[in-house]
Amino acid sequence: MSELVKINLKVNGKNYSAEIEPRLLLLDFLRENLALTGTKSDGGSTSGTCTILLNGVSVKSSYILAVQADGSEIVTIEGIAENNELNHLQQAFWEMFAVQNGYSTPGLIMSLTDLLQRNSHPSEIEIRYWLDGILSRDTGYQNVIAAVQLAAEKMK
Ligand code: FES
């Protein structure tokens, strides 16, 4: 067992301090230490179900050690709603039947949140390009693209 390392970070607006193993993945820290189980593991694939916002940028939390997130600000799917209401993107997913299984949807929402922060009116091609890092084989991507376009309209 290696020596524990202390980290401090903010997750969904709340400050946390923890002593952890240096090799602990950020994904496992969020799920196991903070019980934020909305961020999913795909069991070793690269599907992006574990996507979160790290200092405002979408990243795969299984690719990052928790110690690397020391001092950063994280938003997970649990922190994305606004005033306890679905935000525009979540609502659009609901309205356009873009919700897929419980594994894919959180990663899609977090990744597409980053896209809409960077580009408030992405074209279909830009959305498709952005989705390259998130795999979902349930219903395809057409309804997801429609949901992003609807969210962009609502956010005008
Ligand atoms: S758990 Fe597979 S990409 Fe993160």
Side-chain angles (χ1 to χ4, degrees), residues 67-83:
V67 293
Q68 293 175 293
D70 183 29
S72 54
E73 194 161 331
I74 288 169
V75 178
T76 68
I77 191 67
E78 289 90 346
I80 206 82
E82 293 166 1
N83 303 320

Side-chain angles (χ1 to χ4, degrees), residues 27 40-50 60 62-63:
L27 168 64
K40 303 299 185 196
S41 168
D42 57 24
S45 150
T46 57
S47 71
T49 56
C50 62
K60 293 176 179 175
S62 66
Y63 288 17

Side-chain angles (χ1 to χ4, degrees), residues 38 47-53 58 77 89-90 93 98-116 127 130-141 143-145 148:
S47 71
T49 56
C50 62
T51 301
I52 58 161
L53 297 181
S58 59
I77 191 67
L89 182 59
Q90 291 174 304
F93 261 63
V99 174
Q100 309 206 358
N101 65 39
Y103 282 88
S104 308
T105 303
L108 284 166
I109 296 274
M110 299 313 292
S111 177
L112 292 164
T113 294
D114 189 5
L115 170 63
L116 288 171
I127 298 167
W130 194 264
L131 286 170
D132 191 40
I134 308 284
L135 280 182
S136 182
R137 299 187 179 90
D138 293 340
T139 60
Y141 298 97
N143 291 7
V144 172
I145 291 162
V148 176

